[in-house]
Amino acid sequence: MKIIKPGLQTTVQDAGRYGYQRYGVIVSGVMDRLAQRIGNILVGNDEDAAVLEMTMKGPEIEFEEDTLITVTGGDLSPTINDQPVKRWRPVYVKAGSNLKFGACKSGCRAYLAVGGGVDVPEVMGSRSTYLRAEFGGFNGRALKEGDHLTTGNPSERSNQIFELFNNTGEPFMESDWSSASEWSPEMRDENVIRFIPGREWTDFTEDSHQLFTETEFELTPQSDRMGFRFKGEKLKRTDERDMISEGVAFGTVQVPSEGNPIVLLADRQTAGGYPKIAQIATVDFSKVAQLKPGEKVRFQKITQREAERLIIEQEQHLQQLEQGISLKLREGSEIG
């Protein structure tokens, strides 16, 4: 794959770099893990395989060999040779074809998964790009014009999906089946973010509890892969005591002294010393990752049991997707 135009911020990411936080190395990885997993399932990869993460404005990519791809996540108006291409489904792309992205219609981040995964060297067991430290991914940086990327060896399953397409000579062919549409940002209620109370929930005043769950908070432009900063009614603690820094996770909601919440994300620090008012439910990580500056959200409190039930349901849907693809492969009917 040759990068003709890089887009706003296009990086190689996988599931993240785990096992090194005790040394101060952040996890990194994709912002929208659900979109990455579904993309890899659709092209027959391991769910953790490296993909391209595209933010707000996508790249232009020339495919130098016939490739199996899919685009998931936010709707950045993908086209192949200037023809609209559908998302959330396998697509056969012929050598010489160009994938472009246009207006950001919904969500914020799109993902390109390719059969065999994006092949860059592993650093500490991961292909993810850590931009601040300039390592991992493609030379430790966002992609630039003229970069060339290679794909890994496709799995047997990926080859089977590839072979379903009947090569008609068209620049690309889409499958007639896709993943469930409710995973698309435009089909979800992005305004409601569910959470369970954090470690310091009881350190905040009752008024702050009410403000956090009953008023809207707006995502500010001072947000990045490290954390999303929201502004709204100021949240106050009953006791402004100093805290010892503790480990943090994706979705941890911290509140510094100025009173506005920060949701920690993929490039979060390894530990934090601000009080943790909440922990976003895992099932809503994808929702958070797809927010754009200026959008407003409400936080909804749920129980840990409810959070567990919701993520179990999501995992069951992913299993059903894999089973559905297996059925298609057993049927073996050509596409195109």
Side-chain angles (χ1 to χ4, degrees), residues 1-4 61-67 93-98 146-150:
M1 295 183 291
K2 180 180 179 181
I3 306 301
I4 307 301
I61 300 171
E62 179 185 346
F63 291 92
E64 299 177 314
E65 59 184 30
D66 295 357
T67 310
V93 183
K94 200 163 181 59
S97 298
N98 277 41
D147 287 342
H148 284 260
L149 294 169
T150 59

Side-chain angles (χ1 to χ4, degrees), residues 71 74-80 83-87 99-102:
V71 179
D75 187 356
L76 304 189
S77 304
T79 62
I80 296 177
Q83 297 297 313
V85 60
K86 295 177 181 177
R87 301 174 297 136
L99 172 66
K100 298 179 184 178
F101 294 84

Side-chain angles (χ1 to χ4, degrees), residues 112 144 183:
L112 175 66
K144 296 180 180 179
W183 283 321

Side-chain angles (χ1 to χ4, degrees), residues 133-336:
E134 299 182 352
F135 69 77
F138 188 88
N139 296 332
R141 59 170 172 78
L143 298 182
K144 296 180 180 179
E145 179 181 339
D147 287 342
H148 284 260
L149 294 169
T150 59
T151 60
N153 294 322
S155 67
E156 180 181 353
R157 188 179 183 89
S158 184
N159 284 327
Q160 288 175 329
I161 297 172
F162 186 89
E163 290 167 3
L164 288 179
F165 289 89
N166 177 23
N167 188 349
T168 62
E170 296 296 325
F172 72 98
M173 286 169 282
E174 304 162 326
S175 73
D176 55 2
W177 46 271
S178 65
S179 65
S181 60
E182 64 262 24
W183 283 321
S184 297
E186 62 266 29
M187 300 298 291
R188 300 183 303 207
D189 182 1
E190 300 293 327
N191 182 251
V192 177
I193 305 297
R194 292 163 289 192
F195 74 92
I196 57 176
R199 184 176 174 88
E200 282 77 47
W201 171 261
T202 56
D203 287 0
F204 288 85
T205 66
E206 287 300 320
D207 285 346
S208 293
H209 292 166
Q210 188 172 355
L211 290 171
F212 188 64
T213 55
E214 295 182 7
T215 63
E216 288 186 327
F217 289 83
E218 180 180 333
L219 183 61
T220 71
Q222 291 73 44
S223 299
D224 55 21
R225 283 176 45 89
M226 183 175 183
F228 279 1
R229 293 178 175 269
F230 291 86
K231 66 178 181 180
E233 297 290 343
K234 300 298 186 289
L235 306 177
K236 298 179 180 179
R237 298 164 63 192
T238 57
D239 180 7
E240 293 295 332
R241 60 184 172 83
D242 291 334
M243 292 179 52
I244 298 174
S245 292
E246 296 178 329
V248 292
F250 196 116
T252 296
V253 185
Q254 293 185 320
V255 182
S257 57
E258 49 88 15
N260 280 312
I262 302 172
V263 179
L264 302 183
L265 301 169
D267 285 353
R268 64 195 177 274
Q269 68 274 23
T270 58
Y274 294 132
K276 299 173 286 296
I277 193 172
Q279 173 64 41
I280 304 300
T282 305
V283 73
D284 281 349
F285 284 178
S286 178
K287 282 187 180 183
V288 174
Q290 293 295 346
L291 292 173
K292 295 187 287 289
E295 293 185 332
K296 296 180 179 180
V297 300
R298 291 184 295 107
F299 294 100
Q300 179 183 342
K301 182 182 175 184
I302 61 174
T303 64
Q304 182 168 330
R305 182 180 293 273
E306 177 69 2
E308 291 171 352
R309 182 188 67 79
L310 290 168
I311 196 62
I312 288 171
E313 285 183 358
Q314 185 181 93
E315 292 301 312
Q316 289 172 340
H317 288 319
L318 290 176
Q319 290 177 7
Q320 290 170 4
L321 174 61
E322 292 193 11
Q323 292 166 0
I325 294 174
S326 296
L327 179 60
K328 289 288 182 182
L329 294 177
R330 286 197 296 270
E331 292 173 351
S333 56
E334 285 187 335
I335 299 170

